[in-house]
Amino acid sequence: MSKILIVDDTPDIVAIAECIFRADGHEVVAASNGKGRHFELSATQRPDAILLDVMMPGMDGIEVCRRLKADPQLRSIPVILVNCQDSRR
């Protein structure tokens, strides 16, 4: 199957996404935030897709996506932006 990179600062979201994708037979790699490790993982792991949280501390998902798409070696990787907001706030 495919390799999915999950970039999210909420451990519970990462755990749920990992469980779902692994149950479907995908390999999963995770990064906890947008501060930089995702670029290293994108380059070294060459994921087939990236599941990217929009709202993260430091560098948000929109900026991460811009930087990924600006890199000629990474721009072809599909990115799915995810936003989980608690309506109780």
Side-chain angles (χ1 to χ4, degrees):
M1 287 255 138
S2 58
K3 184 183 297 187
I4 310 293
L5 171 59
I6 301 170
V7 182
D8 198 303
D9 63 316
T10 307
D12 289 343
I13 299 297
V14 172
I16 291 167
E18 280 183 309
C19 184
I20 291 168
F21 286 118
R22 285 196 173 123
D24 202 30
H26 300 283
E27 181 180 345
V28 177
V29 179
S32 63
N33 63 43
K35 292 185 179 178
R37 186 144 195 270
H38 57 279
F39 290 116
E40 172 191 335
L41 289 172
S42 296
T44 60
Q45 296 292 318
R46 302 301 296 175
D48 297 296
I50 300 171
L51 189 68
L52 179 58
D53 184 13
V54 172
M55 298 175 64
M56 293 184 289
M59 187 185 308
D60 68 25
I62 302 297
E63 183 59 27
V64 171
C65 187
R66 281 188 188 115
R67 292 183 184 199
L68 287 168
K69 296 304 177 180
D71 186 318
Q73 295 181 348
L74 305 176
R75 72 171 45 136
S76 66
I77 301 171
V79 175
I80 300 167
L81 293 169
V82 179
N83 187 13
C84 272
Q85 285 188 304
D86 186 346
S87 63
R88 296 174 288 178
R89 290 186 184 181

